[in-house]
Amino acid sequence: MRTLCTLVACGLLMACQGSIVGPPQQPPDNGGTPSRSQFSCQASAVPAELPLRRLSSTQYRNLVTDLVTASLPADASEVLLAVRSSLEQLPRDQRVTPAGTTHGGFTRMDQTLQQAFVDATYQVAVDVGRQLTLSSTRLGALMGACATDASAANDTACLEGFVRRFGQRALRRPVPEEEVAAFTAVAGSAPVEAAAVADVVAMVLTSPYFLYHVEHGATASPDDSRLDAYELASRLSFHFWQTGPDEALLQAAADGTLHTEEGYAQQVRRVFEDPRTAATLDGFFNEWWRLHELDRLDARLGDPLFEAFVGADRPGPEAPRAHGARGAGHDAPCDVQGRPRGRAAHQPQELCPDGRPGPALRHVRVERGGRAARLHG
């Protein structure tokens, strides 16, 4: 399982290329344990060029949830409830099976772009902007006292400060001054009026930098470039959490520690130990092994043949919790049907798979070499 988990982590991160060395091993004639194939992770390999990727539906919902929660903590639940109908219009990603394989498909590979996606994200942006600025209390909590005081002299600076703070969290990187000017220009001559600020919020949430994984690299190379620190932070957070970087990752990118070996390893450990990582890995194994297609364990209760087989050991809907391991027990974020047991931190329901949780990685050590990464269990 350790080798399997290492392979899965390498494949998910999309920053390492490798191959299985040797053909699949068959069980020996004496019934013993077959030898393992070795996964060779090539640190010097250059990943294939990728098209501009949009956020998955899960990533988009999680990012909106996190952004609202960080921007207006006291009223986040009410805001999210108010925009729920708009979020529900977002098309669900379909499972896409990699070419040449027969195993389960992965929703994160669905990169179709429908008009319904464009319409839904626009409406969510408008509704979030309206809800965040619904009252003077919310406006003040969102922007600071400068938005509701009697002085108009500080209104422009107030809006610019808000765009820098809100924009950095939404776009996952600092907002350049030319973009600050472009966003604030939307507000016109009334920079702190509720309707004007709502328009600015909507503009940020319809930016390609919000809706897509935009990566320019640290250098302006026509060939390949090392990810800059903010892009690396986004890779980590979207890979393990299915959402944008938190404040700690953004700070590590800002102060440069994320581009050091020690700082990078520290953040990977912290990110990996977050409960949201377990939910992401559960979803990955659920899709890979097509666990959503399995019946509940008690689905055949009442069948005479099944009843005769199980006797007194009648199963419940879930597998019993294994001692010393996180299976489909009570510490899993979802039950066998994908229903949330309760959220870890502020993890939205969409992160939960619609089937049984799979095993989870427990230990990971990451080493970086140029553009590639090697993960070891």
Side-chain angles (χ1 to χ4, degrees):
M1 181 59 67
R2 178 177 174 180
T3 300
L4 172 63
C5 291
T6 300
L7 171 58
V8 171
C10 281
L12 281 173
L13 193 56
M14 300 293 288
C16 177
Q17 291 189 341
S19 59
I20 296 292
V21 179
Q25 301 296 315
Q26 300 298 323
D29 294 336
N30 61 7
T33 303
S35 60
R36 292 181 176 179
S37 297
Q38 298 297 315
F39 181 74
S40 175
C41 200
Q42 302 156 9
S44 61
V46 177
E49 183 176 352
L50 296 174
L52 185 64
R53 296 172 297 128
R54 67 166 174 83
L55 299 180
S56 70
S57 296
T58 294
Q59 290 170 348
Y60 178 83
R61 291 184 177 91
N62 293 343
L63 189 57
V64 169
T65 299
D66 289 349
L67 188 60
V68 168
T69 302
S71 301
L72 212 63
D75 293 343
S77 297
E78 294 180 16
V79 172
L80 292 170
L81 183 62
V83 304
R84 179 177 177 178
S85 60
S86 298
L87 280 170
E88 289 175 347
Q89 298 306 310
L90 195 71
R92 297 282 176 173
D93 292 326
Q94 303 301 306
R95 293 183 176 88
V96 177
T97 301
T101 64
T102 57
H103 57 66
F106 302 96
T107 51
R108 67 171 60 197
M109 293 184 64
D110 184 0
Q111 284 294 301
T112 56
L113 187 59
Q114 310 170 35
Q115 183 63 42
F117 183 87
V118 177
D119 293 342
T121 54
Y122 171 78
Q123 191 59 54
V124 169
V126 171
D127 290 349
V128 168
R130 184 181 299 120
Q131 288 297 320
L132 290 180
T133 59
L134 191 61
S135 66
S136 59
T137 301
R138 286 188 181 179
L139 188 64
L142 181 70
M143 301 182 68
C146 58
T148 56
D149 61 18
S151 173
N154 60 359
D155 288 355
T156 298
C158 185
L159 180 61
E160 290 174 348
F162 165 71
V163 167
R164 292 187 184 96
R165 295 189 304 274
F166 183 81
Q168 173 163 300
R169 191 65 186 262
L171 309 182
R172 289 90 72 187
R173 47 118 174 117
V175 185
E177 287 306 306
E178 58 270 23
E179 291 184 32
V180 173
F183 286 129
T184 56
V186 173
S189 59
V192 296
E193 286 189 2
V197 177
D199 288 343
V200 172
V201 170
M203 284 292 293
V204 173
L205 298 188
T206 52
S207 166
Y209 288 93
F210 180 79
L211 298 171
Y212 292 85
H213 297 284
V214 181
E215 295 174 343
H216 294 295
T219 59
S221 169
D223 301 318
D224 61 90
S225 174
R226 184 187 189 190
L227 296 172
D228 73 24
Y230 291 98
E231 293 164 352
L232 185 57
S234 287
R235 283 280 188 107
L236 284 173
S237 64
F238 279 108
H239 168 58
F240 286 112
W241 295 344
Q242 296 294 289
T243 190
D246 62 3
E247 289 298 330
L249 268 174
L250 290 173
Q251 181 57 44
D255 61 26
T257 56
L258 192 58
H259 263 165
T260 66
E261 294 296 333
E262 181 180 355
Y264 183 74
Q266 180 182 6
Q267 287 301 320
V268 169
R269 286 192 295 269
R270 184 186 69 85
V271 168
F272 191 82
E273 290 169 358
D274 190 286
R276 288 172 288 184
T277 296
T280 298
L281 290 170
D282 287 341
F284 175 82
F285 281 103
N286 172 69
E287 293 182 345
W288 187 18
W289 290 336
R290 299 162 66 176
L291 299 179
H292 57 282
E293 299 178 8
L294 299 179
D295 289 333
R296 294 166 57 109
L297 296 180
D298 61 353
R300 296 190 63 189
L301 287 178
D303 182 300
L305 184 61
F306 184 74
E307 294 277 3
F309 173 74
V310 299
D313 297 323
R314 295 168 61 87
E318 305 172 22
R321 179 175 179 178
H323 177 69
R326 195 183 65 79
H330 294 294
D331 57 347
C334 301
D335 65 17
V336 294
Q337 299 301 311
R339 296 184 295 263
R341 302 179 189 280
R343 297 179 184 175
H346 52 275
Q347 174 185 318
Q349 177 174 340
E350 287 75 12
L351 255 180
C352 292
D354 58 355
R356 265 183 267 184
L361 288 164
R362 282 305 181 194
H363 304 286
V364 64
R365 180 168 63 87
V366 178
E367 299 173 358
R368 289 182 301 114
R371 204 181 152 177
R374 297 192 300 276
L375 280 80
H376 306 277

